[in-house]
Amino acid sequence: MDNLVAGLIKFRTQDYEEHKNLFCRLKRGQEPHTLFIGCSDSRVVPELITKSLPGELFVVRNIANIVPQFQEFHEQEAPTSATTACIEYAVNVLKVKSIIICGHSNCGGCESIYLSDEVLDEIPATKKWLELAHNVKKRVMEELGDSDEPMKKEWLTEQINIVEQIKHLLTYPFIVEKFNKREIDIIGMYYTIETGEVFIYNAIKGVFELAN
């Protein structure tokens, strides 16, 4: 807690003062240009990676940067996911121009989709959430075949997961409409923690290409 308090003091006396005019402009509302859907992993900091200022990114973080597929629900029902509600709000209310799905290296969430039921039964909420990535596991196992290379399996899972979540985004009718009209971009991003490299998914080639 002492470290957090020290950080709060440093923010108020240094960072806030540096961007004081920006914070004053933001006091009445936000107009982020991008919805950033990333992993909750403590090593992944969206604003740090993209060098974005407050007000630029509308950030959603969850285990393994998963996007639930679109589902209709009635007003008297609760949304099935906070992530779903955030996507709806960002696109329909904030009118973001881009959506980024950002996965990363050494992702514990992606690794967990291979855990046994015995282990996952100890974390039932997490187990239920990871079921949303069942097709990722299936695709990875098909592509690996007889190969048993741990590192290949790891990065293949993390990158295929990004592509699958982009597909999930395109089950939302209001996103499809804007995407077809070229009113919104959808970007797949893969961040390598130990090198700082960021790879962008090239949907035409079906590969991740180094961006930085």
Side-chain angles (χ1 to χ4, degrees), residues 66 80 120-121 123-134:
I66 289 173
T80 55
L120 287 172
D121 284 343
I123 45 173
T126 303
K127 179 182 180 181
K128 187 67 177 176
W129 178 253
L130 292 175
E131 287 176 2
L132 297 173
H134 70 277

Side-chain angles (χ1 to χ4, degrees), residues 1 10 20 33 46 54 62 67 93 98 119 170 192 198 205 207:
M1 187 62 193
K10 184 178 179 181
K20 187 173 182 178
H33 52 70
N62 61 50
V67 174
V93 178
S98 301
V119 174
L170 292 173
T192 306
V198 175
K205 297 180 180 179
V207 296

Side-chain angles (χ1 to χ4, degrees), residues 30-61:
Q30 60 172 324
E31 294 182 349
H33 52 70
T34 297
L35 166 62
F36 188 104
I37 303 174
C39 184
S40 295
D41 193 299
S42 59
R43 300 166 294 176
V44 180
V45 185
E47 291 82 3
L48 183 64
I49 297 169
T50 61
K51 299 304 293 182
S52 297
L53 292 172
E56 293 191 80
L57 303 180
F58 190 75
V59 180
V60 179
R61 299 177 68 173

Side-chain angles (χ1 to χ4, degrees), residues 70 84 87-88 91-92 172-179:
F70 177 79
T84 300
I87 291 170
E88 179 184 73
V91 175
N92 291 337
Y172 290 70
F174 53 86
I175 291 180
V176 172
E177 181 181 358
K178 288 179 178 290
F179 184 74

